[in-house]
Amino acid sequence: MANIGRTCLGFLGYVGELYLESSFIGATGTIRAETKEFKLASQGKQIVRTYWHHHSFPNPEPQTRRLPINSTNIAKLIEVIPDVSATTYQRRRRFILVKLLEITGARRVEVANIRVEDIYNARRLKQEPVLKVFTAKRSGGREEYRYLPISKTDLELIVNFIEKFRHRIIKKTIGGAGDQGYLLISESSGLRLATETLTNELLLLAKAAKIEEQACAH
């Protein structure tokens, strides 16, 4: 809902500029809203993005977002992770996978393409962290992204996974020079987990949790 609201405010801001009505929308305008900014790092360069915010927008907490799997099944999936995981890394990675699907409502392809730098970029946003998520590649190779609210608590869980678990796998496999930067990686190769692998991971957890309905994300 907040994303739709920001789009509408952006359009109203354009209308105000078009008709030279500087007080049409703003902190003290006829429509009270404000612009905020966040910074991203991309290929060594810092990019500043701005977006509209209104006090009525919902608080970005995980339980208010639409989930690809219902909350009861999420709890069941998390509960069985230790029983079906052979290593500590596998256990932590599966936990992060389920948490990402829960807190973002993201599709499998979106989760598979989340990068380490996306997590740290979101962490730098002190007030209202947002996570950059890849959505699609359009004609001409143009990539599209969306920005999803994520809580600071969840960010710290993911950072802990990166620094204590993922780092060890990279060091043991392809090394820092070969690191492709994706968050969820194979324990044996250090490479990005394919979307199909994420599907298989969820199916395995669903079977162990005795969840009969489809447990796969989009």
Side-chain angles (χ1 to χ4, degrees):
M1 292 298 292
N3 287 336
I4 296 174
R6 292 187 182 107
T7 300
C8 293
L9 289 176
F11 173 73
L12 293 172
Y14 167 75
V15 171
E17 292 178 2
L18 183 65
Y19 289 94
L20 303 179
E21 291 286 347
S22 59
S23 61
F24 181 58
I25 180 171
T28 58
T30 304
I31 299 174
R32 295 183 180 274
E34 58 182 328
T35 56
K36 295 191 175 185
E37 67 177 35
F38 57 92
K39 298 177 181 179
L40 300 170
S42 178
Q43 298 180 344
K45 297 181 180 180
Q46 183 169 279
I47 301 173
V48 178
R49 304 281 189 186
T50 60
Y51 63 95
W52 283 99
H53 177 73
H54 189 271
H55 67 83
S56 66
F57 288 169
N59 189 34
E61 290 301 318
Q63 62 268 28
T64 65
R65 304 188 198 116
R66 183 169 61 89
L67 307 180
I69 314 169
N70 69 56
S71 57
T72 300
N73 285 347
I74 286 285
K76 290 180 180 179
L77 293 175
I78 290 176
E79 185 178 358
V80 300
I81 287 174
D83 300 329
V84 296
S85 301
T87 66
T88 301
Y89 173 76
Q90 192 177 63
R91 182 167 65 249
R92 294 300 300 177
R93 188 189 66 199
R94 285 172 173 167
F95 174 75
I96 293 299
L97 166 62
V98 175
K99 285 297 293 181
L100 281 171
L101 292 170
E102 178 189 19
I103 65 182
T104 67
R107 294 176 173 85
R108 289 166 297 143
V109 66
E110 293 178 342
V111 172
N113 282 287
I114 292 175
R115 304 179 67 86
V116 170
E117 68 174 350
D118 298 330
I119 300 301
Y120 283 107
N121 282 331
R123 193 191 193 196
R124 293 187 186 99
L125 307 176
K126 301 299 183 182
Q127 298 300 319
E128 296 182 7
V130 288
L131 178 63
K132 176 184 175 183
V133 176
F134 171 83
T135 56
K137 180 170 286 188
R138 303 301 182 187
S139 59
R142 180 171 57 90
E143 295 182 343
E144 292 187 356
Y145 298 86
R146 60 188 180 122
Y147 296 86
L148 304 174
I150 182 171
S151 73
K152 295 177 183 178
T153 301
D154 290 324
L155 277 174
E156 291 308 315
L157 282 173
I158 300 172
V159 168
N160 178 270
F161 165 74
I162 292 170
E163 297 180 351
K164 290 189 176 181
F165 299 94
R166 183 188 181 279
H167 175 74
R168 295 175 190 169
I169 298 303
I170 291 296
K171 186 176 180 180
K172 186 175 68 174
T173 55
I174 55 179
D179 187 359
Q180 297 177 339
Y182 293 102
L183 175 63
L184 300 180
I185 58 174
S186 164
E187 185 169 9
S188 59
S189 69
L191 300 177
R192 180 182 77 97
L193 290 185
T195 304
E196 293 76 14
T197 302
L198 299 187
T199 299
N200 292 335
E201 291 277 279
L202 286 170
L203 289 175
L204 183 148
L205 294 176
K207 182 178 180 180
K210 296 181 172 57
I211 298 174
E212 295 182 0
E213 64 188 82
Q214 186 177 10
C216 294
H218 309 299

